[in-house]
Structures are given as C-alpha cells and as structure tokens.
Amino acid sequence: VRSHYADVVDQFAAFAGDGGYSLENKTLLDVGCGDGLIDYGLLGLPLKHVTGLDVVDASVKALSGLPERIRNAGLTPPSDLSRFDHVSYDGTHMPFDGGSFDIVFSWSAFEHVTEVEKVLAEIKRVMSDDGFAFIQVFPWFASRHGSHLTDHISSPFFHLLESHAEIRAQLEAAAEEKPDSKDFMLGHLWTEFTHLNGISADDFYECAKRVGLTVRRVRLISMDEDISAAPASYSLSQLTVAGTLMLLVKN
Ligand SMILES: C[S@@+](CC[C@H](N)C(=O)[O-])C[C@H]1O[C@@H](n2cnc3c(N)ncnc32)[C@H](O)[C@@H]1O
C-alpha cells in the first residue's frame, strides 16, 4: 500500500518536476489504474482532477475499501474524493474528447496492454497540446522478472526458454506449497502471464514515435544480472532494460 499510495506518487512528482513540468491545477488521466490506490495517492498532489481508466471496472466495493487499506498501512486517506472519478472502457477507444487532459499517467500497465500502438495514439489524442504523458513500465518481458512469476519460479529466464505447458506445471507445483495463494497463482497470475504483450522498451519507443509522441525524458531501470542462461537470440538491451520511466510529449 505504501509503495503505491506514497512512493509511486513521489517518484512521479519528482520525475515530472525534474523535467520542468508543473502539476499545479492540472487534470490527470491514469491509464490502467487497477484498484485505484495510486489515484487516491495522486489526490495528495496539487492536481485539479484525477480520472482512473481501466478495462476492468473497479467495483464500488473495491474503491470503498481503499481508505481502510490506507489507514491500516499507517497512512492518511484522501479526505475529498470529489476530485476523482473512475471510468472503464474497451481497451482501445477512450471515452473522452480530444485534449481533455493535461497529463496522462500510467504505471505498470503497458506490458499488459494488447493494442499498444492504438492506446498510445489515444493517449496522444486525449492529451492537451502542451500536456505530457508519464509512462512507467516494469518489468519489460524479456528481462529477468518479465514473466511476473519469479516469486514462484526461480530458474533464470525460464519464460524465454520453456513452453507454457512446462511453466504451468512448475506454477502448479509451486502452488501446492502455498495453499492460501493457490487460486490467485493459478488464476490471476497465470492469466496475467499468458496475456503479457511481450514487447520491449525499444518496441514501445518505436510505437510512440509512429503515433507522433516524442520522448523528452527517460530513466532506465536495470539491475546486475547473470544473463548466461538467456537465449542468444535476445539483445543485451532486451535482457537488461528491466523497466523504464518516460515523459512523452506531442511532436
Ligand atoms: C498490473 S496492473 C497495474 C495497476 C495499477 N497501475 C497499479 O500499478 O497498481 C495492470 C492494469 O492494466 C490494465 N489494463 C490492461 N489493458 C489495458 C488497456 N488497454 N487500457 C487500460 N488499462 C489496461 C489491467 O486491467 C490492470 O488493471
């Protein structure tokens, strides 16, 4: 909770601020907002309004449980939710007029997006001409933790080396050891893994350029890795650029 409600928000504010962008009185769209926890944290910034957008409709129940989750983590929930709303959509056509938002934000969502280029084109469309997009992706697929399953399967780069059937069998074996997490592992985590788009930071950059977005600032997230087990067909940057933070503007 602390990481999403507080740390992500601090990283965003610092990265945008260092890039020379103000957040004061700006409208923000969060693409792939998930359970809304980050959005509640963003309300602590001097933004005018925050809209959470996702293909999954965050239930009123999930949203109404957020203040208690935040309090249980020893933090203070937002007191005024009138600056927040949640919208669901089909994953490609955003239900907003062109230029509706000063800032488009996205955290740990783009590796799950099926139609990356279409969503980037929509981001460009709904962003104001002098606005910016802040997009964080972690982990990129070919990097060591790209499967999102490495808490449960530890052999290096198994997701690039093994078939889905082999990986499923290992996940099932790991789930037997963790009965409380079994349904989550074989349901949510497996579905998430099989729906990852598999793109790299370079692929994302190419898509962004094609839709007319320019990268104004980028930070790579990378770790010391032993890549000796990785297949030779992958490039060094695919294997070692584990994540990116980017600020993008319209051309
Ligand atoms: C790993 S979750 C991250 C959620 C949230 N940003 C966070 O960090 O807690 C990825 C989210 O992306 C959403 N997603 C997948 N495809 C999407 C799309 N085309 N447009 C918007 N959201 C999408 C999923 O439904 C999911 O909520």
Side-chain angles (χ1 to χ4, degrees):
V1 169
R2 179 175 292 277
S3 124
H4 279 71
Y5 185 68
D7 300 348
V8 167
V9 174
D10 291 347
Q11 277 194 62
F12 160 62
F15 198 71
D18 290 348
Y21 291 98
S22 161
L23 307 178
E24 195 83 36
N25 214 26
K26 299 283 165 56
T27 52
L28 180 147
L29 175 70
D30 177 6
V31 176
C33 65
D35 63 8
L37 190 53
I38 293 176
D39 297 333
Y40 275 37
L42 289 168
L43 292 173
L45 298 172
L47 294 160
K48 184 177 181 182
H49 193 271
V50 174
T51 301
L53 179 73
D54 206 291
V55 290
V56 175
D57 195 1
S59 67
V60 173
K61 187 165 170 282
L63 289 171
S64 64
L66 285 178
E68 193 183 344
R69 286 178 62 199
I70 293 164
R71 267 192 296 273
N72 288 345
L75 300 161
T76 308
S79 52
D80 175 15
L81 292 175
S82 63
R83 291 187 295 129
F84 170 71
D85 65 354
H86 181 281
V87 177
S88 59
Y89 82 127
D90 64 3
T92 42
H93 304 96
M94 297 187 183
F96 309 111
D97 293 337
S100 295
F101 300 94
D102 302 307
I103 303 169
V104 180
F105 170 104
S106 183
W107 189 273
S108 289
F110 256 93
E111 74 272 31
H112 304 278
V113 167
T114 310
E115 302 273 5
V116 173
E117 196 160 328
K118 283 189 183 159
V119 175
L120 281 173
E122 280 292 86
I123 286 177
K124 183 185 174 201
R125 184 184 66 79
V126 302
M127 199 164 95
S128 62
D129 285 343
D130 58 353
F132 71 93
F134 168 86
I135 299 180
Q136 181 268 17
V137 182
F138 179 89
W140 288 113
F141 183 74
S143 65
R144 169 82 182 239
H145 299 284
S147 65
H148 296 61
L149 295 176
T150 48
D151 284 347
H152 308 291
I153 303 174
S154 58
S155 54
F157 298 101
F158 67 87
H159 61 306
L160 307 183
L161 295 160
E162 297 175 25
S163 68
H164 274 193
E166 289 167 320
I167 295 169
R168 173 77 190 186
Q170 289 180 65
L171 194 63
E172 285 177 5
E176 286 306 319
E177 308 291 315
K178 299 169 189 162
D180 290 349
S181 309
K182 187 173 176 179
D183 290 346
F184 175 74
M185 289 165 69
L186 300 181
H188 176 81
L189 281 186
W190 179 253
T191 306
E192 194 174 69
F193 168 64
T194 54
H195 286 80
L196 291 168
N197 57 33
I199 69 165
S200 65
D202 283 326
D203 298 331
F204 180 87
Y205 180 52
E206 292 305 316
C207 278
K209 284 191 291 187
R210 276 199 295 274
V211 305
L213 290 168
T214 301
V215 176
R216 285 285 294 272
R217 189 174 163 80
V218 63
R219 179 183 302 159
L220 304 185
I221 305 168
S222 200
M223 295 141 206
D224 292 356
E225 297 286 6
D226 176 350
I227 59 168
S228 55
S233 53
Y234 287 83
S235 71
L236 187 65
S237 66
Q238 282 175 308
L239 297 171
T240 58
V241 177
T244 47
L245 279 74
M246 287 185 194
L247 287 183
L248 303 107
V249 296
K250 291 186 182 187
N251 285 354

